[in-house]
């Protein structure tokens, strides 16, 4: 399979403190890849590095082209949608305005309308709250809004930073069911980082295990989910 | 009673000018969490450009449009080359930059154009005051122009894609970049708009107060008081605050403190708002961003 994203010997730091110590991983075209790891392992930092939000060394290739050193907004415009840590809601704006911002880089009005209608099918709750200030939404609704906003970019690659974080199990289930549907029908690749390994492995094809800024293990999601000792020592379930 | 009504009506006219400058201050504040103390001086400088054009024989409304365009460009360039490089500097450095800009514009204007008061033409004609002597033609005309500017700005932010992107960039730059908005360009655009609005306010106030390098000092103070009164985070508050300030200024000048001490009403309002309701009438309570 062709690689959509290739990360080679990626180093990253916040000022003086080094966080990523030479990561190598790939995201295949059309699949779901997950990056697992405990709190503080460097998952969020890895996604930020891909989106050009921090200075890095090494190599990041998107569809074969280097994207390192590009501005975040230009990386987004290439088709990389990033649902950030904390969901990135535009709190002061309405739900509808948040969604419209998702398609900021696009000019294909008709196709945007189709995608918007599709998001309302997937997330009917958002449709009910269109004119509401986004800051008044619950955590789960904000996560749905963040995913819908990212989907409206019509991305080639969707980066998801802990979509389950801080949400009640029922809402998490709902969101992952919807993600599963998106994966099945959309022609795009997903890189999802999660602390909740069983959840992420349930929708992923391929998994990497991250520990203090290094890749400790990689394999198919099925193999990793089967590995009893790995599960107990690293994944905690 | 007629006297009071007169004061209120003409207060609304000057209040519109305060409202425009207050709106420019709020726009920059929302985007950068800083007060552009040089806003008034940029407007004053723009007004001199308009005067030069008019004296060179350019018809008023063409000079008006040219001036707005030049000011818009000047605002964008200022953001790009002076303030953007300072965007990560400590707060005192950028306050210093604003005050520096204020002094530079003031001195350059004085150096090029001199410090004498210069009359500035009104496009609305000298003629008889309107509505039974209640309001001069210039006051009427400038109120209409100001109102048109405010409505245009509101519609721009409310209904256009770029307006929405500018609001998004001001509220949440990180998320904005993640949906592909070039945040620095939006900020430059905001500075351009603020400078353009300031230029219009300058051209509208100059026929009343005469043009000199310190023309906008008082206006900026009233506009700042207006922005605080309305709530420094609220564009609507800036407009309401501006009109209120114009009316309060006139009433206080006529009936309370006298024209000599009018400016102190602005200071009193600034202090009272900061002490008792820092978020103003329409603003949100501020987290410790300032
Ligand atoms: N903005 C930041 N500035 C400095 N250090 C940070 C910042 N964000 C995260 N870190 C540090 O980087 C390491 C990795 O963090 P992060 O990527 O957020 O981990 P994860 O998402 O896997 O929980 C942690 O030690 C964290 O303290
Ligand atoms: Mg994280």
């Amino acid at each position: 399979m062709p690689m959509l994203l290739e990360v080679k010997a990626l180093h990253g730091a916040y000022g003086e403190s080094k966080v990523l110590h030479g990561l190598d991983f790939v995201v295949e075209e059309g699949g779901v890849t997950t990056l697992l790891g405990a709190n503080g392992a460097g998952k969020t930092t890895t996604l930020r590095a891909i989106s050009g939000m921090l200075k890095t060394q090494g190599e990041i290739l998107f569809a074969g082209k280097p994207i390192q050193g590009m501005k975040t907004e230009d990386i987004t415009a290439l088709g990389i949608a990033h649902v950030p840590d904390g969901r990135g809601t535009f709190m002061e704006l309405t739900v509808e305005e948040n969604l419209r911002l998702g398609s900021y880089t696009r000019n294909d009005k008709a196709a945007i309308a189709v995608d918007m209608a599709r998001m309302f099918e997937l997330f009917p709750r958002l449709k009910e709250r269109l004119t509401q200030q986004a800051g008044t939404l619950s955590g789960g609704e904000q996560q749905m809004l963040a995913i819908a906003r990212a989907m409206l970019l019509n991305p080639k690659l969707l980066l998801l930073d802990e979509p389950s974080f801080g949400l009640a199990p029922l809402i998490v289930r709902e969101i992952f069911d919807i993600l599963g549907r998106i994966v099945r029908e959309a022609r795009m690749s997903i890189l999802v980082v999660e602390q909740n390994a069983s959840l992420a492995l349930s929708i992923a094809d391929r998994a990497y295990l991250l520990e203090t800024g290094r890749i400790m293990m990689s394999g198919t999601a099925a193999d990793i989910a089967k590995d009893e000792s790995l599960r107990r020592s690293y994944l905690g379930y | 009673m007629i006297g009071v009504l007169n004061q209120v009506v003409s207060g609304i006219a000057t209040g519109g000018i305060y409202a425009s400058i207050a709106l420019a201050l709020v726009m920059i504040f929302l985007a950068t969490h800083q007060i552009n103390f040089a806003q008034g001086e940029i407007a004053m400088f723009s007004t001199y450009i308009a005067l030069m054009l008019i004296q060179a024989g350019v018809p008023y409304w063409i000079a008006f449009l040219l001036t707005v365009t030049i000011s818009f460009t000047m605002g964008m360039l200022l953001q790009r080359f002076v303030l953007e490089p300072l965007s990560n500097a400590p707060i005192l450095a950028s306050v210093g930059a604003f005050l520096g800009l204020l002094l530079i514009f003031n001195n350059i204007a004085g150096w090029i154009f001199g410090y004498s008061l210069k009359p500035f033409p009104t496009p609305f004609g000298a003629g008889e005051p309107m509505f039974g002597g209640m309001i001069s033609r210039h006051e009427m005309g400038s109120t209409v122009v100001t109102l048109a500017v405010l409505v245009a700005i509101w519609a721009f932010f409310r209904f256009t894609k770029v307006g929405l992107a500018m609001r998004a960039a001001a509220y949440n730059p990180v998320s904005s970049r993640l949906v592909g908005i070039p945040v620095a360009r939006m900020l430059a655009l905001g500075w351009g708009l603020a400078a353009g609005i300031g230029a219009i306010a300058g051209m509208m106030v100059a026929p009343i107060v005469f043009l000199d390098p310190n023309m906008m000092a008082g206006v900026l103070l009233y506009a700042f008081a207006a922005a605080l009164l309305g709530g420094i985070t609220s564009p609507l508050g800036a407009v309401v605050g501006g009109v209120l300030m114009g009316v309060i200024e006139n009433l206080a000048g006529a009936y309370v403190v006298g024209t000599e001490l009018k400016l102190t009403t602005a200071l009193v309002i600034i202090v009272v708002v900061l002490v008792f309701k820092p978020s103003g009438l329409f603003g949100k309570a501020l987290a410790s961003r300032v």
Side-chain angles (χ1 to χ4, degrees):
Chain A
M1 249 201 253
M3 296 306 162
L4 185 60
L5 185 78
E6 288 175 80
V7 173
K8 295 176 187 167
L10 182 68
H11 289 260
Y14 294 103
E16 289 298 291
S17 89
K18 294 202 167 78
V19 175
L20 305 179
H21 307 280
L23 303 189
D24 291 279
F25 66 92
V26 295
V27 175
E28 288 171 351
E29 191 130 15
V32 179
T33 303
T34 182
L35 207 54
L36 305 172
N39 188 21
K43 303 183 297 296
T44 295
T45 307
T46 305
L47 295 191
R48 285 185 186 147
I50 295 169
S51 287
M53 297 162 80
L54 82 161
K55 286 224 169 68
T56 53
Q57 288 161 337
E59 216 178 347
I60 305 174
L61 301 175
F62 179 65
K65 290 194 202 75
I67 56 170
Q68 240 171 334
M70 283 175 65
K71 288 192 196 133
T72 299
E73 58 263 32
D74 297 335
I75 292 174
T76 304
L78 289 178
I80 301 185
H82 184 156
V83 174
D85 179 43
R87 303 173 190 124
T89 309
F90 295 93
M91 301 284 184
E92 294 84 354
L93 304 180
T94 65
V95 170
E96 185 179 8
E97 287 169 333
N98 268 266
L99 291 171
R100 267 166 51 204
L101 285 167
S103 62
Y104 176 79
T105 56
R106 300 169 62 186
N107 290 314
D108 47 344
K109 279 212 172 95
I112 293 172
V114 172
D115 289 351
M116 188 79 96
R118 179 67 189 134
M119 287 306 123
F120 292 147
E121 277 169 35
L122 289 170
F123 304 104
R125 291 203 217 186
L126 295 181
K127 187 166 191 186
E128 290 160 23
R129 288 166 173 62
L130 269 190
T131 57
Q132 211 167 308
Q133 227 192 345
T136 65
L137 298 183
S138 70
E141 288 162 351
Q142 286 190 36
Q143 190 62 57
M144 295 178 186
L145 179 60
I147 294 170
R149 194 175 61 226
M151 290 294 297
L152 282 165
L153 179 76
N154 191 19
K156 298 190 183 76
L157 174 63
L158 178 63
L159 308 177
L160 291 170
D161 196 338
E162 298 214 43
S164 75
F165 188 81
L167 302 180
L170 220 58
I171 302 286
V172 170
R173 195 64 265 162
E174 189 181 338
I175 288 176
F176 270 78
D177 283 347
I178 297 170
L179 278 177
R181 283 170 69 186
I182 291 176
V183 169
R184 259 174 275 127
E185 69 189 37
R187 286 151 300 151
M188 63 167 181
S189 313
I190 297 182
L191 174 61
V192 54
V193 312
E194 262 297 344
Q195 261 190 81
N196 186 333
S198 66
L199 203 57
L201 289 171
S202 75
I203 61 165
D205 306 307
R206 196 172 178 78
Y208 291 87
L209 187 60
L210 192 64
E211 202 182 42
T212 54
R214 291 183 178 82
I215 303 274
M216 296 301 290
M217 178 83 72
S218 69
T220 66
D223 285 346
I224 292 211
K226 267 189 298 201
D227 190 325
E228 193 88 19
S229 66
L230 198 66
R231 246 170 47 188
R232 249 184 263 117
S233 49
Y234 287 111
L235 306 179
Y237 75 98
Chain B
M1 213 36 231
I2 291 295
V4 174
L5 200 59
N6 252 325
Q7 295 294 343
V8 170
V9 169
S10 101
I12 292 174
T14 33
I17 289 160
Y18 302 154
S20 330
I21 299 283
L23 181 65
L25 290 176
V26 165
M27 274 170 53
I28 299 297
F29 183 84
L30 282 175
T32 62
H33 300 275
Q34 286 164 351
I35 300 292
N36 177 12
F37 293 107
Q39 183 74 56
E41 304 309 284
I42 298 172
M44 171 276 295
F45 198 83
S46 304
T47 312
Y48 272 109
I49 294 174
L51 187 64
M52 266 180 17
L53 290 169
I54 291 167
Q55 283 176 344
V58 179
Y60 183 92
W61 288 110
I62 295 182
F64 179 95
L65 288 180
L66 274 175
T67 303
V68 173
T69 312
I70 292 169
S71 309
F72 180 87
T73 312
M74 196 163 67
M76 296 233 290
L77 293 177
L78 273 179
Q79 152 62 20
R80 183 72 188 74
F81 293 107
V82 181
L83 294 143
E84 174 76 20
L86 283 172
S87 58
N88 291 320
I91 183 86
L92 266 182
S94 26
V95 170
F98 285 123
L99 293 178
L101 281 178
L102 187 160
L103 292 175
I104 288 169
F105 274 107
N106 192 291
N107 283 313
I108 292 181
W111 181 56
I112 302 180
F113 308 109
Y115 284 92
S116 62
L117 292 175
K118 290 197 165 65
F120 190 89
T122 170
F124 307 112
E128 287 294 296
M130 306 165 80
F131 304 112
M134 195 105 86
I135 181 168
S136 75
R137 281 176 180 272
H138 179 77
E139 283 175 323
M140 188 65 209
S142 82
T143 308
V144 170
V145 167
T146 307
L147 207 65
V149 168
L150 295 176
V151 169
I153 291 288
W154 172 79
F156 170 75
F157 281 113
R158 180 75 183 69
F159 296 115
T160 70
K161 184 171 170 177
V162 178
L164 174 62
M166 283 177 71
R167 282 188 289 147
Y171 285 131
N172 196 336
V174 175
S175 287
S176 296
R177 291 191 187 95
L178 289 180
V179 294
I181 296 170
V183 171
R185 219 176 300 162
M186 293 300 139
L187 207 54
L189 202 54
W191 267 82
L193 279 181
I197 296 170
I200 295 176
M203 289 184 280
M204 290 298 117
V205 80
I208 303 172
V209 299
F210 290 94
L211 180 55
D212 84 293
N214 298 317
M215 170 181 85
M216 294 304 279
V219 176
L220 184 74
L221 191 65
Y222 284 117
F224 182 48
L228 283 177
L229 180 62
I232 191 72
T233 56
S234 163
L236 174 68
V239 173
V240 175
V243 174
L244 276 179
M245 266 322 292
V247 173
I248 293 171
E249 175 206 0
N250 263 14
L251 291 179
Y255 302 109
V256 187
V257 292
T259 42
E260 295 294 303
L261 286 174
K262 266 196 336 189
L263 216 49
T264 47
T265 52
L267 292 172
V268 169
I269 285 183
I270 290 173
V271 170
V272 168
V273 172
L274 285 180
V275 170
F276 292 104
K277 199 166 188 311
S279 58
L281 297 174
F282 296 86
K284 281 187 309 293
L286 283 183
S288 59
R289 291 295 289 270
V290 202

